């Protein structure tokens, strides 16, 4: 029985690649770029892939996330040994498109509530984990409104020292929801009451509070 692992490789030019073997103890062969209609499947940068029988057909479909926070379903209309994928479709929850907060979506499926139906679980760029319950059937799944299983992570805080005078600065990083990268000017936080707050200055393109060293 064939086993397969689908993943994405930057070296493959953002293409989704498949590692497939026929025996459990075999080494993984060279990856094969997945195609549809003779073209490589490309659903964005930093894509993540999860294989599951989402539609109850006995065939493995692909769930794909990307850095923008989109989530796609590639339905397998072929077989597990010779997959043939349909056009990518966006996932919807309670009638609305699903988008991972701050991007970096990582979709997986599991029967989270033990009702015999596969649910969608999504890791998000802000550190949160969302659960979308399947309120449909095994062959016609429908997703309810998302529920947070894990709350978003607080913005990281760090202390920096001026390279010349050695003064300490307390900073708080923020993520830009459009670029999914740390901003160049992190949001300043209020220093502890035991420290003396100075006028806000810039240090290494960041806005920080100057505190007593």
């Amino acid at each position: 029985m064939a086993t397969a692992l689908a993943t994405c490789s930057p070296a493959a030019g953002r293409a989704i690649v498949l590692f497939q073997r026929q025996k459990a103890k075999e080494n993984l062969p060279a990856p094969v770029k997945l195609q549809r209609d003779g073209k490589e499947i490309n659903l964005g940068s930093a894509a993540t892939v999860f294989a599951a029988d989402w539609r109850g057909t006995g065939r493995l479909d692909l769930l794909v996330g990307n850095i923008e926070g989109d989530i796609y379903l590639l339905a397998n209309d072929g077989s597990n040994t010779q997959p043939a994928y349909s056009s990518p479709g966006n996932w919807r929850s309670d009638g609305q498109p699903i988008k991972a907060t701050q991007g970096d979506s990582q979709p997986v499926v599991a029967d989270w509530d033990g009702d015999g139906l596969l649910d969608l679980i999504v890791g998000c760029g802000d550190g949160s984990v969302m659960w979308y319950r399947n309120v449909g059937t095994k062959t016609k799944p429908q997703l309810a409104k998302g529920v947070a299983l894990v709350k978003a992570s607080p913005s990281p805080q760090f202390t920096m020292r001026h390279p010349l005078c050695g003064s300490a600065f307390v900073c708080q990083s923020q993520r830009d929801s459009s670029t999914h990268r740390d901003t160049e000017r992190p949001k300043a936080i209020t220093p502890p009451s035991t420290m003396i707050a100075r006028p806000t200055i810039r240090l290494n393109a960041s806005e920080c509070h100057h505190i007593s060293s």
Side-chain angles (χ1 to χ4, degrees), residues 128-151:
S128 64
V129 178
M130 300 296 297
W131 166 44
Y132 299 89
R133 182 171 180 263
N134 184 358
V135 294
T137 65
K138 288 184 178 181
T139 57
K140 293 183 178 180
Q142 292 184 336
L143 299 177
K145 185 176 180 180
V147 176
L149 299 177
V150 178
K151 295 181 179 180

Side-chain angles (χ1 to χ4, degrees), residues 108-123:
V108 299
V109 299
D111 181 8
W112 186 255
D113 56 355
D115 63 355
L117 301 176
L118 291 177
D119 307 310
L120 174 65
I121 301 173
V122 180

Side-chain angles (χ1 to χ4, degrees), residues 16-19 30-34:
I16 298 176
V17 298
L18 179 71
F19 299 87
V32 177
K33 295 181 181 180
L34 298 185

Side-chain angles (χ1 to χ4, degrees), residues 93-207:
S93 163
D94 196 28
Q96 300 298 320
I98 298 176
K99 189 94 169 177
T101 307
Q102 292 192 6
D104 293 332
S105 53
Q106 171 62 77
V108 299
V109 299
D111 181 8
W112 186 255
D113 56 355
D115 63 355
L117 301 176
L118 291 177
D119 307 310
L120 174 65
I121 301 173
V122 180
C124 305
D126 63 353
S128 64
V129 178
M130 300 296 297
W131 166 44
Y132 299 89
R133 182 171 180 263
N134 184 358
V135 294
T137 65
K138 288 184 178 181
T139 57
K140 293 183 178 180
Q142 292 184 336
L143 299 177
K145 185 176 180 180
V147 176
L149 299 177
V150 178
K151 295 181 179 180
S153 302
S155 298
Q157 298 180 15
F158 55 94
T159 301
M160 302 177 64
R161 287 190 176 276
H162 195 286
L164 299 179
C165 66
S167 299
F169 299 82
V170 178
C171 304
Q172 183 171 15
S173 177
Q174 280 190 321
R175 225 177 187 221
D176 189 321
S177 59
S178 61
T179 63
H180 314 295
R181 295 182 176 89
D182 290 339
T183 58
E184 293 183 352
R185 299 175 60 187
K187 181 180 179 182
I189 63 171
T190 304
S193 58
T194 56
M195 298 181 179
I196 301 174
R198 304 288 186 181
T200 300
I201 69 169
R202 289 187 182 180
L203 177 63
N204 295 335
S206 299
E207 285 190 353

Side-chain angles (χ1 to χ4, degrees), residues 1-5 18-30 81:
M1 181 177 180
T3 59
L5 168 65
L18 179 71
F19 299 87
Q20 190 169 19
R21 59 188 178 187
Q22 298 296 325
K23 298 179 181 179
K25 294 184 179 181
E26 285 183 347
N27 293 327
L28 289 175
T81 55

Side-chain angles (χ1 to χ4, degrees), residues 29-43:
V32 177
K33 295 181 181 180
L34 298 185
Q35 296 186 345
R36 180 182 177 275
D37 295 335
K39 297 181 180 180
E40 295 176 3
I41 299 175
N42 181 351
L43 296 177

